[in-house]
Amino acid sequence: MDQKQIDRINELAQKAKTSGLTEEELLERAALRREYIESYRRSLVAQLDNTYLVDEKGNKSKLRKKD
């Protein structure tokens, strides 16, 4: 997600607080929010995939997903 899309989310949020949104703008806001959340999740998963735990002996072990 680029900065332009984040700026648009913020514009719609401000407009919703002041004058309200049209049906089209509500749909646009929902789509942008979904895209933002998916982007955030992908980024977090990538970061956790590259995270290692180091025990007191200095051994590294990769994080594992919970079942």
Side-chain angles (χ1 to χ4, degrees):
M1 173 162 270
D2 62 2
Q3 188 61 41
K4 182 180 174 184
Q5 291 171 315
I6 294 171
D7 291 342
R8 181 63 179 155
I9 291 171
N10 291 331
E11 287 173 19
L12 291 171
Q14 184 63 34
K15 185 176 179 189
K17 289 179 185 177
T18 58
S19 61
L21 298 175
T22 65
E23 188 66 31
E24 184 177 293
E25 289 171 330
L26 288 170
L27 294 173
E28 178 186 6
R29 181 178 70 172
L32 287 170
R33 284 180 171 178
R34 276 193 305 276
E35 187 177 340
Y36 177 81
I37 290 169
E38 286 301 316
S39 173
Y40 185 85
R41 284 181 181 158
R42 282 191 305 271
S43 174
L44 182 58
V45 167
Q47 183 177 0
L48 291 174
D49 284 344
N50 293 308
T51 300
Y52 293 87
L53 298 175
V54 180
D55 64 13
E56 57 276 347
K57 294 180 182 178
N59 299 321
K60 291 182 180 180
S61 61
K62 195 166 182 122
L63 283 180
R64 288 174 280 160
K65 290 184 179 180
K66 284 188 171 183
D67 293 330

